């Protein structure tokens, strides 16, 4: 699930657009006479350009911001080709959905794939690789990170990506996930995030979540996440919190 920061609609043309926190622009509705049911990723940087390009008649109040293909940087070109069926040479199938990628990019960006795509491994000969240990949003975010060097996920999904980053020994991605989780911590999810930090051996994140829980002790102990903590972890939290003076009153 991506975090939307801007949404717009043109009722006369039945076209809608949205922009995510990561700067991606999606459109849906009527597109040049075609009906687009699900949000479709565009190459625009602004929602206004969706209506200028796709609406019938076109709706605009300024010039399009789209750049010519020959002016794209290497990073922009790479980002543009993520999940592109036209140029990809490999597909991952996760939760019944396909993600189109390029072997060369994965081998360059990730040691896990560099090892996987050896001639003596079965995966090197496959055109479709099944993934069942991670969810679609998490694995898609991971592959997109390899193309963009950024992550756009809510804290709850970032926990799953933290698991993947730990499994694949992606330390930079692990730090990005921890940053997302810290930024999105709330009273409701604090103990869930604390449990995840302990589970994935993220010491800095664990300390951050622990301090948040102690500082909001009354509120967080009333949440479902607190009562769902396993016994050993709950005892460890209480013992550590007591040493910090959390129960002095």
């Amino acid at each position: 699930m991506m975090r939307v920061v801007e949404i717009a609609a043109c009722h006369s043309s039945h076209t809608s657009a949205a922009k995510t926190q990561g700067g991606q622009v999606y459109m849906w509705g009527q597109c040049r006479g075609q009906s687009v049911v699900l949000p479709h990723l565009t190459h625009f940087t602004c929602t206004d350009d969706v209506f200028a390009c796709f609406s019938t008649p076109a709706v605009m109040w300024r010039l399009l911001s789209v750049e010519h293909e020959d002016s794209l940087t290497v990073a922009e070109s790479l980002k543009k080709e993520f999940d592109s069926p036209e140029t990809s040479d490999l597909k991952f199938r996760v939760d019944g959905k396909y993600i189109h990628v390029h072997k060369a990019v994965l081998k360059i960006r990730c040691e896990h794939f560099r090892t996987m795509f050896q001639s003596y491994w079965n995966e090197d000969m496959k055109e479709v690789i099944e993934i069942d240990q991670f969810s679609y949003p998490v694995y898609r975010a991971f592959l997109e990170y390899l193309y963009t060097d950024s992550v756009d996920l809510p804290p709850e999904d970032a926990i799953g990506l933290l698991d993947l980053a730990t499994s694949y020994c992606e330390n930079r991605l692990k730090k990005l996930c921890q940053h997302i989780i810290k930024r999105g911590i709330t009273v409701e999810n604090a103990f869930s995030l604390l449990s995840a930090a302990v589970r994935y051996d993220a010491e800095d994140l664990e300390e951050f979540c622990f301090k948040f829980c102690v500082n909001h002790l009354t509120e967080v102990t009333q949440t479902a996440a607190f009562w769902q903590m396993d016994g050993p972890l709950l005892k460890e939290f209480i013992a550590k919190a007591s040493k910090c003076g959390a129960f002095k009153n």
Side-chain angles (χ1 to χ4, degrees):
M1 180 179 180
M2 294 187 177
R3 188 171 299 177
V4 175
V5 296
E6 179 184 330
I7 191 165
C10 179
H11 296 291
S12 62
S13 62
H14 303 289
T15 304
S16 300
K19 186 174 183 178
T20 69
Q21 191 175 45
Q24 295 174 314
V25 175
Y26 289 80
M27 70 81 58
W28 65 95
Q30 292 299 311
C31 172
R32 299 172 182 167
Q34 301 291 324
S35 180
V36 180
V37 179
L38 298 176
H40 174 75
L41 179 62
T42 71
H43 298 315
F44 299 126
T45 58
C46 177
T47 55
D48 299 320
D49 294 341
V50 170
F51 308 107
C53 184
F54 294 142
S55 294
T56 306
V59 179
M60 67 180 73
W61 61 275
R62 59 172 177 77
L63 294 174
L64 286 173
S65 64
V66 177
E67 296 182 352
H68 295 293
E69 294 291 322
D70 58 3
S71 66
L72 294 178
T73 65
V74 173
E76 289 168 340
S77 298
L78 194 61
K79 180 178 180 179
K80 175 177 173 289
E81 292 306 316
F82 172 66
D83 201 14
S84 172
E86 290 80 13
T87 61
S88 68
D89 57 1
L90 177 68
K91 291 185 289 186
F92 284 94
R93 189 171 185 269
V94 192
D95 296 339
K97 302 174 184 177
Y98 289 101
I99 308 170
H100 300 80
V101 294
H102 308 76
K103 276 188 182 181
V105 173
L106 303 193
K107 290 168 70 174
I108 291 171
R109 291 279 288 144
C110 179
E111 181 64 33
H112 171 81
F113 290 121
R114 195 174 303 124
T115 302
M116 176 185 289
F117 298 131
Q118 300 291 335
S119 58
Y120 49 83
W121 280 53
N122 291 332
E123 283 80 358
D124 187 54
M125 303 300 295
K126 292 182 178 179
E127 295 182 359
V128 179
I129 296 178
E130 297 276 351
I131 299 295
D132 55 16
Q133 63 268 48
F134 301 105
S135 69
Y136 174 80
V138 165
Y139 213 77
R140 179 182 174 84
F142 167 58
L143 295 175
E144 189 168 13
Y145 159 78
L146 298 181
Y147 281 75
T148 66
D149 217 28
S150 62
V151 177
D152 182 19
L153 279 178
E156 291 73 21
D157 284 332
I159 294 175
L161 190 56
L162 178 60
D163 180 19
L164 187 153
T166 303
S167 299
Y168 286 12
C169 298
E170 289 288 332
N171 292 326
R172 183 178 181 277
L173 179 57
K174 191 173 179 178
K175 291 179 181 178
L176 284 176
C177 292
Q178 293 183 40
H179 178 69
I180 291 172
I181 293 170
K182 288 180 180 179
R183 193 175 57 201
I185 193 170
T186 66
V187 166
E188 292 296 325
N189 66 18
F191 270 105
S192 296
L193 300 182
L194 175 61
S195 299
V198 173
R199 188 162 59 249
Y200 302 132
D201 196 26
E203 295 180 3
D204 179 60
L205 178 61
E206 179 185 346
E207 186 63 23
F208 177 88
C209 293
F210 171 77
K211 289 180 179 179
F212 182 93
C213 290
V214 170
N215 291 336
H216 301 81
L217 191 59
T218 301
E219 294 91 343
V220 296
T221 54
Q222 307 304 312
T223 63
F226 175 79
W227 296 104
Q228 290 171 358
M229 287 182 72
D230 60 66
L233 183 58
L234 182 58
K235 289 179 180 179
E236 182 180 344
F237 171 79
I238 293 175
K240 188 176 178 181
S242 65
K243 292 180 181 179
C244 296
F247 307 112
K248 61 183 178 181
N249 296 323

